Amino acid sequence: MFRLLGILFTVLLAIATAVVVWPQFFHLEQTYPFAQLVAARGIVLGGFLVVAVVALLLLFARPLRGFAASVLIVALLGAAATAAIGAVRGFGASALPDATDTSVRVLTWNTAGEAVTAERIAQEILDQGADIVALPETTEAVGERIAIMLREQGHPMWVHHVQFRPDVQDGPQSWQTTVLVAPDLGEYSVIESSKDGSNNTGSVPSVVLMPVDGSGPTIVAVHAVAPRMEEMQQWQSDLQWIADQCPQGDFILAGDFNATVDHMAPLGVDGGDIGYCRDVASRTGNGLTGTWPSSLPPLAGAPIDHVMASGNWTPTGSAVLDDAGGSDHRALVVQLEPAR
């Protein structure tokens, strides 16, 4: 009887391991609770190692030796598979290459409203030499203060902004998203359907910027709703909307996607991770570096803040900034070069 129970448990553990390691195979990557589990692969890896240690200790109990050996094998296979995925995507790189005459640096930072001061954001933009800055949950007033400080430091940037329900006094700051763009990239304007919300993410706003003269990349500052149990359908809809913002052409997407590249598996086209766009961090050594929550070590967090770029751009580096400045998200900065 106990042997049969042991076999059944081992089989169920093997199935659960397969689902947690690669839910895409079972089409469960956007399904609760597997979407939440796969978001933090570092914790999953740690969990497999803990199970392996417990199974190793149980090997010393003769009656449990066969059962423990089976569990140990499954746990080690799960840990090895998770570690292999991490090795491909990158466990963390901290340095960007030197900027060039043609490079573009993109910074995204969900500032959690006014948890991060305008002064701190402006200083980080200067330190990183950012040309495009996506700031979910940042008000237009804060964006304008940042721009004034940057101008005084010889780094002017234009401010663009979208707010849901501006008629609601003192509405949540998550209803606002601000974008700053360097004048060197040309003049941009927010498309009308992005402003009025008729074509946008559903609960929190994204910003779609088009170059006025038609040259240069379309810039999308992304903010998708979080995949809470009651918001799963809206979250899935937001991810589909984001994918639709990167058809063939010249596009840069940056912001709080509230999703990892695992969640985007069904949405990539022709080698892209979401639409035709490719995730920069996972191609430059930071694919498993968590940006949220900042209270956890990076490898225990979820990499849900991204910069995505179409094939017009070649990723050359990325860095997740250690100090979140009071936000629950860490900032991500990447460097892109025009593709040859």
Side-chain angles (χ1 to χ4, degrees), residues 43-78:
I43 292 178
V44 170
L45 175 58
F48 282 133
L49 293 176
V50 168
V51 172
V53 170
V54 171
L56 191 62
L57 294 174
L58 289 177
L59 285 174
F60 292 99
R62 185 180 294 273
L64 297 175
R65 188 165 295 169
F67 167 71
S70 300
V71 171
L72 177 61
I73 291 170
V74 172
L76 289 177
L77 287 173

Side-chain angles (χ1 to χ4, degrees), residues 183-248:
D184 291 346
L185 293 176
E187 187 178 353
Y188 278 82
S189 65
V190 181
I191 66 169
E192 192 60 36
S193 61
S194 179
K195 286 182 180 179
D196 63 24
S198 61
N199 184 18
N200 208 313
T201 39
S203 299
V204 287
S206 299
V207 183
V208 181
L209 295 174
M210 297 286 291
V212 172
D213 64 1
S215 63
T218 297
I219 299 169
V220 185
V222 170
H223 196 188
V225 71
R228 302 180 184 91
M229 184 167 60
E230 67 276 11
E231 295 276 12
M232 292 300 291
Q233 188 172 355
Q234 181 62 63
W235 174 68
Q236 293 163 5
S237 176
D238 282 357
L239 293 184
Q240 183 60 63
W241 181 89
I242 295 166
D244 293 341
Q245 306 316 300
C246 194
Q248 287 182 307

Side-chain angles (χ1 to χ4, degrees), residues 96-105 128-129 131 316 335-337:
L96 292 171
D98 293 335
T100 68
D101 293 338
T102 57
S103 64
V104 171
R105 287 192 174 181
Q128 301 301 329
D131 304 292
T316 58
Q335 183 162 311
L336 302 168
E337 290 283 355

Side-chain angles (χ1 to χ4, degrees), residues 14 24 32 51 79 88 153 184 201 240 272 310 326:
Q24 297 92 312
Y32 184 89
V51 172
V88 170
Q153 295 296 321
D184 291 346
T201 39
Q240 183 60 63
S310 61

Side-chain angles (χ1 to χ4, degrees), residues 105-109 124-125 128 130 132-135 321 331-333:
R105 287 192 174 181
V106 185
L107 185 148
T108 178
W109 197 356
E124 204 62 68
I125 292 170
Q128 301 301 329
I132 300 169
V133 182
L135 299 172
L321 306 184
L332 168 69
V333 59

